[in-house]
Amino acid sequence: WSSDVCSSDLYEICDQVMYVFRGRIFGSGSENMFFGPWRQNADGQWEKILSGPKILVSKPPSHNSVAIIYPDSIFLVKQKTGAHVHVLSGIVSRLILETSSENIIATILAGAFPFTLRLTQKQICDLNLYPGRKIFITYDLRKIRWV
């Protein structure tokens, strides 16, 4: 498996997905991986070095570390909120039924960055989510895991 393969594609053909990185299993499911390099911006926050939306992270252990954001740390929000909360604008790109739990695996594209999270069918209906729908997401910087 390479980082070019969309993990949501794997859910269509696999019962279980295990992530191996640098010879270690670090998770199973729909973890979101973001590769460095990272830099500290003028506000003292750490961010992904790319154009497009700023992907903020907690302080990385090294310049080229890999950030893992778990799906349960990502939340949908109806609108941009206060400046103290990191909110990204995104578009729903995929909704896939996870047959083992009957939850929906949603992929939200924030610029070129895919964020994968699990939602209930009720959440999908309540928010009227469908591919192409614009939505906002936020995530908990304190829950980022580094490898």
Side-chain angles (χ1 to χ4, degrees):
W1 178 75
S2 83
S3 60
D4 295 336
V5 174
C6 181
S7 62
S8 60
D9 291 335
L10 296 174
Y11 283 95
E12 293 182 30
I13 58 173
C14 300
D15 293 328
Q16 186 175 20
V17 177
M18 302 293 289
Y19 289 93
V20 178
F21 185 70
R22 295 183 183 154
R24 289 187 358 219
I25 294 175
F26 69 85
S28 63
S30 53
E31 289 85 356
N32 299 278
M33 293 177 49
F34 298 94
F35 293 82
W38 307 98
R39 71 171 178 199
Q40 194 169 18
N41 65 24
D43 296 331
Q45 297 174 314
W46 289 89
E47 65 185 14
K48 179 83 173 129
I49 301 173
L50 278 179
S51 60
K54 290 183 181 180
I55 304 299
L56 298 180
V57 295
S58 56
K59 183 178 179 181
S62 72
H63 179 70
N64 286 318
S65 295
V66 178
I68 299 171
I69 303 175
Y70 291 98
D72 63 354
S73 298
I74 302 171
F75 306 97
L76 297 176
V77 291
K78 292 184 180 182
Q79 60 188 7
K80 282 203 168 217
T81 54
H84 65 284
V85 177
H86 180 53
V87 177
L88 296 170
S89 175
I91 296 175
V92 177
S93 68
R94 280 187 119 151
L95 298 171
I96 299 173
L97 176 65
E98 184 179 50
T99 54
S100 61
S101 68
E102 295 189 7
N103 285 331
I104 306 295
I105 298 171
T107 303
I108 312 296
L109 291 178
F113 298 104
F115 285 83
T116 302
L117 59 152
R118 278 190 182 87
L119 301 169
T120 64
Q121 292 180 24
K122 182 176 180 351
Q123 288 173 301
I124 297 290
C125 291
D126 289 350
L127 293 168
N128 190 25
L129 292 183
Y130 52 86
R133 170 89 192 253
K134 291 182 181 181
I135 192 81
F136 296 101
I137 60 170
T138 187
Y139 54 93
D140 190 338
L141 296 176
R142 298 168 299 173
K143 293 189 177 182
I144 292 174
R145 181 173 165 211
W146 293 97
V147 283

